[in-house]
Amino acid sequence: MRRPMRPVAPQKDGPLANEDITSPDVQLIDAEGENRGIVRTRDAMAEAQEQGLDLVLIAANSQPPVAKMLDLGRYKYAAQKKAAEARKKQKVIEVKEVQMRPNIDDHDYQTKMKAVQRFLDDGDRVKVTMRFRGREMAHQDLGMQLLIKVKEQTEAIAKVESQPRSEGRQMVMVLAPK
């Protein structure tokens, strides 16, 4: 016989507050930031409600837990803003790829090198791929010379993250900005 599904209680995010605090005593910090010492949780909650504030656990793992009187909505809003600001400042490093052939012309090579320069200046890693087709596989040394030339030209602005290595019909080298 199948049992009916019970609704799952929604999980609360953020710190424990008010009735969720199970500890009998807490180390109380009032709204001004002054330490009041160890107080019964019920008394601290009553005092916080008198002032129109919430009792929020700041350090739940300490003995006794540390609780502070503050406005929980404002606290969550400030934490949300702080997290959004941190996400905005971080830079996602992408890997850009530049593909070449061993018999590349000078002008085409210069165009590819400008792209590599631009990617490195933007703070992205660059994967330089040397493709070999048909009989070009017999002259892999030409491809290696070209990758070494790329490495020498970008020496001032990039460090080689992975040395040129052969992977089937292509050679790959990864550059990262200094």
Side-chain angles (χ1 to χ4, degrees), residues 41-61:
T41 304
R42 277 188 241 114
D43 299 339
M45 246 186 288
E47 192 176 334
Q49 285 177 345
E50 276 178 27
Q51 296 179 17
L53 299 171
D54 299 298
L55 187 67
V56 180
L57 269 186
I58 303 298
N61 295 333

Side-chain angles (χ1 to χ4, degrees), residues 89-106:
K89 285 184 181 173
Q90 78 184 38
K91 166 86 170 90
V92 178
I93 297 176
E94 294 180 34
V95 178
K96 305 284 188 170
E97 185 174 14
V98 174
Q99 296 181 356
M100 295 184 188
R101 298 275 307 281
N103 56 351
I104 191 169
D105 195 45
D106 282 341

Side-chain angles (χ1 to χ4, degrees), residues 57-146:
L57 269 186
I58 303 298
N61 295 333
S62 62
Q63 266 319 323
V66 179
K68 187 173 182 178
M69 286 192 283
L70 48 84
D71 184 358
L72 185 60
R74 188 175 287 166
Y75 178 75
K76 282 185 176 179
Y77 178 76
Q80 189 180 15
K81 282 290 190 190
K82 191 174 178 183
E85 190 67 31
R87 274 195 308 274
K88 193 165 75 171
K89 285 184 181 173
Q90 78 184 38
K91 166 86 170 90
V92 178
I93 297 176
E94 294 180 34
V95 178
K96 305 284 188 170
E97 185 174 14
V98 174
Q99 296 181 356
M100 295 184 188
R101 298 275 307 281
N103 56 351
I104 191 169
D105 195 45
D106 282 341
H107 184 265
D108 296 335
Y109 174 78
Q110 293 302 327
T111 306
K112 298 280 187 182
M113 287 308 294
K114 283 182 187 173
V116 168
Q117 177 98 27
R118 189 176 68 243
F119 295 151
L120 290 170
D121 289 343
D122 289 345
D124 295 324
R125 291 171 27 198
V126 179
K127 180 179 178 182
V128 182
T129 306
M130 182 67 55
R131 288 265 165 96
F132 297 99
R133 285 167 41 191
R135 294 183 194 155
E136 292 173 350
M137 283 298 291
H139 302 286
Q140 287 192 355
D141 56 325
L142 293 174
M144 183 60 86
Q145 289 172 1
L146 200 58

Side-chain angles (χ1 to χ4, degrees), residues 24-44:
D25 297 323
V26 292
Q27 177 83 27
L28 182 64
I29 299 172
D30 63 9
E32 285 80 40
E34 291 181 34
N35 190 347
R36 292 269 195 84
I38 298 172
V39 180
R40 306 246 1 118
T41 304
R42 277 188 241 114
D43 299 339

Side-chain angles (χ1 to χ4, degrees), residues 127-173:
K127 180 179 178 182
V128 182
T129 306
M130 182 67 55
R131 288 265 165 96
F132 297 99
R133 285 167 41 191
R135 294 183 194 155
E136 292 173 350
M137 283 298 291
H139 302 286
Q140 287 192 355
D141 56 325
L142 293 174
M144 183 60 86
Q145 289 172 1
L146 200 58
L147 286 178
I148 290 170
K149 184 178 171 185
V150 169
K151 184 168 87 172
E152 288 169 356
Q153 270 195 331
T154 58
E155 213 168 37
I157 59 168
K159 60 179 183 279
V160 178
E161 204 167 83
S162 94
Q163 293 293 333
R165 65 184 186 280
S166 189
E167 295 177 356
R169 291 198 156 270
Q170 60 188 20
M171 274 187 190
V172 178
M173 175 174 70

